[in-house]
Amino acid sequence: MKRHFYLVSGWASLGLGALGAFLPLLPTVPFVILAAFCFARSSPRLEAWLVTHPQFGHHIVAWREKGAISRKGKIAATAAFALSIVLAAIFSPWPWVMAPVIAAAVTGSWIWTRPEA
């Protein structure tokens, strides 16, 4: 049963990562890394496919080995945070406009403290 949970979670994470490739505020790589984590516990074949994937494999390996995020990834995350803050400032009433500001401050500061790949 545990294996099936991880397999379904891995596919769900991979699906969210695929959506993130098209939706600007949804991240891709963190969901692919989560999918690799889930597949490692459910399907070695799918995990190997992700780890050797030409687009995402190096991100997964860098995260597993050093907890590292690429400079390009950090800049992309910061740009996404900035866009969400601008959109919230335009469309959200007070105090909801502060939600993305707080999320960006907390998550962004954590991202920038990670080593670079």
Side-chain angles (χ1 to χ4, degrees), residues 32 34 36 45-46 57-58 90 106-107 111:
V32 174
L34 180 60
R45 183 179 58 84
L46 289 172
H58 64 283
I90 294 169
V106 171
T107 310
I111 287 172

Side-chain angles (χ1 to χ4, degrees), residues 2-15 31-51 60 64:
K2 200 175 185 184
R3 182 178 178 271
H4 288 84
F5 170 76
Y6 279 118
L7 187 63
V8 169
S9 297
W11 280 112
S13 297
L14 197 57
F31 284 116
V32 174
I33 291 172
L34 180 60
F37 172 84
C38 293
F39 288 150
R41 283 142 185 80
S42 63
S43 174
R45 183 179 58 84
L46 289 172
E47 179 204 14
W49 172 71
L50 275 180
V51 170
I60 296 167
R64 284 182 174 177

